[in-house]
Amino acid sequence: MCVPADDQNPWKTIVRWFGLLAACVVGTLAPVVSADVDPLEVPYTEVAYDGDETLRDFVARHLNDPDLWPTVLQINKLASPADLVPGAVLQIPVAQVAAADAALAEALVAIQKATSEGARLFAPEEIGAAIADRESAIGARGDGAWRKVVRFAASATGHATEAFEIALAQRDRAAEALITDIHGRVEGREPAEAAWSDRDLNDVLIEFEKLRTLTNSTTQVTFRDLSRLRLNPNSNATIQRMRSDPLTGKEVTKVSLANGDFYALLNQLSDRDSFEIDVPGIQTTTDSDDFWIKKEADKALFVNYDTASLDIEADATKVSLGQDEGVVITEDGVATRAQVLEWPLLSAPMDRADVYGAGVQLAWQEYPEASGYWFEVAGDPAFNQMIATEWGVKDLSFDVAGLAPGAHYWRVAALDGLGLPGKWSEVRRFELRQDSTPPFLTLLAPSDGVLVEVPEVAVLGASEAGVALTVNGVAVDVAADGGFETTLALMPGANQILLVATDPAGNVSEKRGQLRYVPRVATTMTLNPDLARDGDGHLVSRNAEMTVVAATSAKPGQEVILRDAAGSEAGRTRISAGGVLAITVPVEEDPRGFSVEVLSEGGVSTGMLAFDVVRDSAAPELVLDVPPPRATTDKAIDLTGTLGDAVTLELNGAKQDIFDGSFAMQAALTEGQNLLELRAVDAAGNVGVLVIETLLDLTPPKILDAGLSRPQGEGGPVEIVVTAQDVSGLRQAAPYLVEVGDEEFEGYLRCDSARGICRASLPPTPGEMRLIEVVVQDYAGNEVIR
């Protein structure tokens, strides 16, 4: 092991430690440092990183601590191991780590040396400071703060050296035990004293010194090896022997219990140590580290909680108690053994609970076989600082009063029918607090005096964690951050809100609020059915604006908001008498969406009605599928076609049916000329008109003359001429059949309806001419044959 010799110069000692540690840790990499050189100022050692090992292994090899790799990265200004490339030359704090570790090693040696001489007993503050400073030095080492490491380690060494000297001085006074806890009044009497006198904390006890506790008082005696005896109320004991053999190192301790009881926790007795308990008439030796003894007028009670045995001898009676066994020995030597009871379960307060006031009620669950209970309250989890204890409690709870603020620890054991205490329960901690300040409390919502229109309202607020909160007498949970939320049912009219917060100390805060509940009633709205609509359902107008009218269930005076398609407000009005809503909206060529909202008294929408409006200033167009005949022999004609966006159609004033933008009807005719007027009106009121003329002609044409001639002479062409007339006009073609000589000719005369003449020409043909037949037709379809 690399350990330097003691040196009166701390810096030289560190340098010597540094040299040895560097040689042990880094071998040939360690720089040579003289006693006059500050190793913390030595330049960092440069080492090439070959990339064959991880950064942790590299740092472990050179600094003997792989956890220093972040420090190496920081020194070399590298963000992460990924930035490290093979061949890079790293700055390694070899000298600094060696100096820091040397200082830490020296501090550890000093602490161990002082502890071995009883510093934890005789100089607890000094040895505690030494340990704390060394822990700070270790923390600074992890941060790479080498000078802090050396400074804290040197301070630890100084405190440990002081603790060693104090412990050594106490031992020189032959002090073997100290009073390390007092609760209530404790008295002692040294062999040379004639009367009892008060004993104080940290008083030194000597051999044959007597010690007694009065009612509701306890004390703890701690021996050099940190073994402890707890004298409970109304106990009387004598420290008979406390001897140490310097040659063999054997410790011999003997305590005599005259009356009362004590609880012993011995500190890892070795084969060289012995601890004897003398109860009048009974001899006790033990290897046990955990036991309890009580002396009453006519009997003695023993309980062993350790795996090692507790050996008891009373005249001819010998008893060896195993773990969790007890015995009651009467003054006649009758021994009654028993297995001690298991631990009871604790009820309240819960572990780590906060308790307010100057007292606490401890409660536990019933243990069926228990005849009573024994509880202890201490200021530390090891029960070295006793605060309260009570034996033989019959109830399942006990009020402990007169406690000071701070942390407290408690436990309970069940007593069996023999009066033997069972196993201790779990140890619970509670924090006693004194608080006279009312808790913070605020009501965030609803606002005071607000109008509410729903039957329930969310009550939100903030207080302090741990308070008991009620809203109108109903308990409400409070979150860890102090916030709370609940729902409050309302009655129509005025409603009161009362918040009451009670903190664990019993301090109370109140907040009050008020609101008014007016039930919100949904509004129904129906557009006036007389409003003009187009075929797509849009409200339609010929003008640039129109008044939209609707019937509602709202009350007169309720406010109405007009909104455009984007939801922006476009106007306001109020409901008029009879629940009538009337509001003027702008109208454009393209359809535009609007909605109206009726607001409640609280300004909340109770109903909405949406609609679209469009402007239409074009008359509907009437288009016939087939033009009507100029003349006809039918007494009725069919009229079919389309009429655009018209919503009504009339024929000569008579209403006609419309089918999906089209129409189909028959128009009756009277003989002669007929004038038919179709009138279509769209939703906006625009009018389209189509006038139709047709002739009802039931009389065939009249042939006035018909003949054949050769106007150019006997050798010229033959000409056929027919003269006819008709009110509806002649058809362009009139079939004929004539005979000229031995030949017959047939064909069509071409008619000039305006002149009433039909003509045809035949090639020159000799012979007599005769008109066999000619048929003349008018436009109505009437014909005449001649």
Side-chain angles (χ1 to χ4, degrees), residues 162-179:
E162 183 182 1
F164 171 78
E165 293 173 352
I166 293 174
L168 195 62
Q170 291 281 21
R171 292 184 60 187
D172 288 343
R173 291 170 53 196
E176 295 294 338
L178 290 178
I179 294 179

Side-chain angles (χ1 to χ4, degrees), residues 230-452:
R230 165 71 61 186
L231 264 68
N232 291 313
N234 300 311
S235 298
N236 189 329
T238 302
I239 309 299
Q240 287 191 329
R241 185 164 55 238
M242 293 180 291
R243 295 296 173 87
S244 175
D245 186 340
L247 183 62
T248 63
K250 183 176 181 179
E251 300 282 346
V252 178
T253 304
K254 185 175 181 180
V255 177
S256 175
L257 180 63
N259 63 276
D261 67 297
F262 67 72
Y263 183 75
L265 281 174
L266 307 186
N267 189 32
Q268 298 180 353
L269 294 175
S270 69
D271 294 339
R272 298 178 302 170
D273 300 334
S274 68
F275 197 101
E276 300 178 5
I277 302 95
D278 182 16
V279 178
I282 302 175
Q283 296 295 323
T284 304
T285 58
T286 181
D287 292 326
S288 172
D289 295 344
D290 188 355
F291 57 89
W292 170 87
I293 297 177
K294 184 175 185 179
K295 176 65 176 70
E296 295 182 353
D298 56 349
K299 59 186 175 183
L301 297 85
F302 301 83
V303 174
N304 179 28
Y305 300 102
D306 195 12
T307 54
S309 64
L310 177 64
D311 299 322
I312 306 163
E313 183 175 351
D315 295 332
T317 301
K318 294 183 179 180
V319 178
S320 181
L321 297 180
Q323 185 177 15
D324 299 329
E325 287 186 338
V327 66
V328 177
I329 301 177
T330 66
E331 59 184 0
D332 298 331
V334 178
T336 304
R337 297 176 63 122
Q339 194 75 20
V340 299
L341 301 179
E342 295 292 330
W343 53 80
L345 300 177
L346 305 185
S347 298
M350 299 301 294
D351 192 29
R352 299 190 174 276
D354 289 333
V355 177
Y356 293 85
V360 64
Q361 184 182 64
L362 306 178
W364 50 90
Q365 297 183 22
E366 182 179 10
Y367 196 94
E369 291 82 10
S371 62
Y373 301 92
W374 175 26
F375 75 82
E376 292 183 340
V377 179
D380 66 305
F383 288 80
N384 290 323
Q385 303 168 17
M386 192 63 62
I387 295 175
T389 182
E390 192 74 22
W391 177 278
V393 178
K394 298 299 182 181
D395 297 327
L396 298 178
S397 64
F398 195 91
D399 290 328
V400 182
L403 299 179
H408 295 73
Y409 301 82
W410 67 290
R411 61 186 180 182
V412 177
L415 307 178
D416 64 14
L418 298 174
L420 299 174
K423 299 178 183 179
W424 285 113
S425 67
E426 63 169 324
V427 176
R428 283 190 182 179
R429 177 185 185 275
F430 65 88
E431 187 81 17
L432 195 70
R433 303 179 183 274
Q434 291 183 355
D435 181 7
S436 59
T437 303
F440 166 77
L441 179 62
T442 184
L443 176 61
L444 300 177
S447 301
D448 190 36
V450 71
L451 174 70
V452 178

Side-chain angles (χ1 to χ4, degrees), residues 14 24 141-142 187 227 257 316 318 350 368 461 525 593 633 660 665 674 681:
I14 291 175
C24 292
R141 182 181 184 276
E187 297 178 340
S227 295
L257 180 63
K318 294 183 179 180
M350 299 301 294
M525 289 181 282
T633 58
D660 296 329
M665 68 186 77
N674 288 264
V681 182

Side-chain angles (χ1 to χ4, degrees), residues 61-265:
R61 181 159 58 88
H62 294 294
L63 297 180
N64 201 35
D65 186 351
D67 293 332
L68 289 176
W69 66 267
T71 302
V72 173
L73 286 180
Q74 183 179 10
I75 290 173
N76 290 274
K77 296 181 171 56
L78 297 174
S80 71
D83 298 332
L84 187 60
V85 298
V89 176
L90 299 180
Q91 302 286 324
I92 307 297
V94 174
Q96 290 75 12
V97 172
D101 288 348
L104 285 169
E106 182 183 15
L108 178 60
V109 170
I111 291 171
Q112 291 174 339
K113 183 177 179 181
T115 301
S116 66
E117 293 299 329
R120 290 180 62 187
L121 176 61
F122 297 112
E125 293 183 3
E126 290 76 8
I127 199 64
I131 294 172
D133 282 348
R134 188 172 185 276
E135 290 297 325
S136 298
I138 293 173
R141 182 181 184 276
D143 298 332
W146 316 117
R147 194 164 296 282
K148 281 187 177 182
V149 175
V150 172
R151 186 167 65 249
F152 277 119
S155 177
T157 301
H159 285 305
T161 301
E162 183 182 1
F164 171 78
E165 293 173 352
I166 293 174
L168 195 62
Q170 291 281 21
R171 292 184 60 187
D172 288 343
R173 291 170 53 196
E176 295 294 338
L178 290 178
I179 294 179
T180 54
D181 182 49
I182 286 181
H183 177 72
R185 184 177 178 184
V186 177
E187 297 178 340
R189 191 173 71 180
E190 294 182 0
E193 289 183 314
W196 295 90
S197 60
D198 291 338
R199 290 293 180 262
D200 296 322
L201 192 65
N202 294 326
D203 278 354
V204 178
L205 301 179
I206 63 175
E207 282 188 332
F208 299 107
E209 183 168 352
K210 295 181 179 181
L211 198 65
R212 70 181 182 186
T213 58
L214 304 184
T215 302
N216 297 324
S217 302
T218 63
T219 188
Q220 179 171 278
V221 179
T222 302
F223 297 90
R224 192 179 64 166
D225 64 353
L226 303 184
S227 295
R228 293 175 290 147
L229 290 181
R230 165 71 61 186
L231 264 68
N232 291 313
N234 300 311
S235 298
N236 189 329
T238 302
I239 309 299
Q240 287 191 329
R241 185 164 55 238
M242 293 180 291
R243 295 296 173 87
S244 175
D245 186 340
L247 183 62
T248 63
K250 183 176 181 179
E251 300 282 346
V252 178
T253 304
K254 185 175 181 180
V255 177
S256 175
L257 180 63
N259 63 276
D261 67 297
F262 67 72
Y263 183 75
L265 281 174

